[in-house]
Amino acid sequence: HAKASGGGVFSGYHPRMREGLVDRLELESDLRAALENGDLRLHYQPTVDLATSEVIGFEALARWPHPTRGMINPLDFIPIAEATGLIVPLGRWVLHEACRQAVEWGMAGDGRPPKMSVNVSVRQFDRADLSEMVSTVLAETGMPADRLCLEMTESVLMTDTEANLEQLLRLKALGLTLAIDDFGTGYSSLAYLRRFPVDTLKIDRSFVERLGVIADDTALTDTIVRLGKSLGMATVAEGIEEFGQLAALREMGCGFAQGYYFSRPVPAAEAGRLFLEGANA
Ligand code: C2E
Ligand code: MG
Ligand code: MG
Ligand code: MG
């Protein structure tokens, strides 16, 4: 018996589970407070045009500097935000801040904001007013819709397919672009890809990582680039860390890339410098 052994009231109980729960509840209330107090930050990772090596835009990535735990990784707090519904106000904040920042950089340069990519969780699609929220934020910040890209994973295509398709069509109608993030790791079928108004495929880092090392991954990457081309979609490779990967992707005809080889995600001030230097070069 779990009870007889003194471990707890139900079988399979471990003290660590309780710690995990307390931890999670504490993180949840801390996250709520951080959002309300404006303590969250965005870092920006450049997207590079592989043909010209120019920085054409940025992806906004949420950061949570926690007062006692240090910097918390989005992979650790986005799931909490999703499970609690906090993702809705958090997602709105990220979009607003990223658009506001892009417009500010544009005004410091030639007036044209950089292209800005923002991650949208599948949970945000549960809300019927996602496209209204986006349209409001565009109006509030003065961000031109055609400078905004929304990134979503394949799960948006695979769950609540009809409702999400409608949402995506409404978003497209605003004039922005849509990207499938981490492409190749989910289960979206080719039929879905053709049906959905997707502009860009972001090739998951796990393929890029093993480029030239594992023949199957090299072949798959090549296949995704060709798939993108034949469907008239742009391709962005994620997670380039080495020159060899860059050379291979260029050879395959992949259009764009991100990765530590070019730049890690950096705070706004540094990203602004990258953008304005690029614009003056
Ligand atoms: P993602 O959208 O696929 O973003 C790419 C992740 O890969 C980022 O991790 C980035 O820092 C990392 N990365 C970029 N280049 C390299 C590289 O060369 N090597 C390696 N090892 N990693 C690289 P990050 O910032 O920790 O974000 C993780 C994930 O959290 C994101 O994956 C995205 O799914 C989610 N996320 C981040 N910010 C937001 C947000 O504002 N909203 C939502 N819904 N999700 C977010
Ligand atoms: Mg992304
Ligand atoms: Mg990704
Ligand atoms: Mg990823």
Side-chain angles (χ1 to χ4, degrees):
H1 273 211
K3 203 168 183 179
S5 66
V9 289
F10 55 90
S11 157
Y13 179 90
H14 293 284
R16 278 237 242 101
M17 285 170 65
R18 210 183 81 85
E19 264 171 47
L21 182 64
V22 170
D23 223 50
R24 202 177 161 96
L25 288 174
E26 196 182 284
L27 268 184
E28 181 187 328
S29 66
D30 286 359
L31 181 59
R32 199 177 296 273
L35 194 56
E36 276 164 13
N37 302 335
D39 291 340
L40 295 181
R41 293 286 173 269
L42 293 182
H43 280 188
Y44 298 91
Q45 185 176 39
T47 304
V48 172
D49 184 331
L50 283 178
T52 62
S53 295
E54 269 174 338
V55 173
I56 54 119
F58 297 90
E59 176 175 5
L61 294 156
R63 295 288 178 265
W64 181 13
H66 189 280
T68 57
R69 293 169 199 251
M71 193 65 92
I72 302 184
N73 190 314
L75 293 174
D76 292 324
F77 70 85
I78 295 292
I80 296 178
E82 288 178 332
T84 55
L86 274 177
I87 192 69
V88 171
L90 189 151
R92 190 189 201 284
W93 177 81
V94 169
L95 183 68
H96 192 281
E97 178 56 17
C99 289
R100 187 203 64 72
Q101 185 62 80
V103 169
E104 187 185 299
W105 286 334
M107 289 189 305
D110 65 1
R112 192 169 151 82
K115 186 112 200 206
M116 184 61 76
S117 287
V118 173
N119 294 284
V120 177
S121 157
V122 63
R123 293 270 77 84
Q124 291 175 265
F125 280 80
D126 299 347
R127 303 267 297 214
D129 59 355
L130 178 63
S131 63
E132 268 170 57
M133 185 278 276
V134 173
S135 134
T136 305
V137 168
L138 290 172
E140 283 170 357
T141 57
M143 178 71 161
D146 66 354
R147 306 309 288 154
L148 178 64
C149 173
L150 296 181
E151 299 189 3
M152 71 214 76
T153 57
E154 289 167 79
S155 51
V156 169
L157 278 49
M158 302 312 292
T159 56
D160 293 321
T161 301
E162 292 310 315
N164 289 350
L165 174 57
E166 253 179 60
Q167 295 249 37
L168 290 173
L169 290 170
R170 281 206 294 271
L171 286 168
K172 270 305 288 180
L174 299 175
L176 44 75
T177 55
L178 298 173
I180 303 291
D181 207 348
D182 306 336
F183 187 76
T185 59
Y187 300 91
S188 56
S189 74
L190 296 183
Y192 278 41
L193 260 194
R194 212 182 45 187
R195 248 183 100 204
F196 279 75
V198 173
D199 306 283
T200 301
L201 299 179
K202 294 192 73 173
I203 306 167
D204 190 67
R205 176 159 61 86
S206 57
F207 298 108
V208 173
E209 212 166 34
R210 298 179 295 235
L211 265 186
V213 179
I214 298 180
D216 282 354
D217 285 311
T218 307
L220 278 172
T221 306
D222 191 53
T223 301
I224 298 172
V225 172
R226 285 164 193 272
L227 175 67
K229 272 191 196 149
S230 61
L231 292 173
M233 297 174 186
T235 44
V236 182
E238 301 191 278
I240 295 201
E241 294 185 358
E242 290 159 20
F243 178 77
Q245 297 164 337
L246 163 66
L249 284 155
R250 210 175 241 156
E251 179 82 6
M252 289 173 189
C254 180
F256 305 92
Q258 292 177 296
Y260 296 170
Y261 178 80
F262 305 106
S263 169
R264 288 184 174 254
V266 291
E270 207 175 323
R273 277 195 294 275
L274 282 174
F275 172 67
L276 293 167
E277 275 166 21
N280 298 332

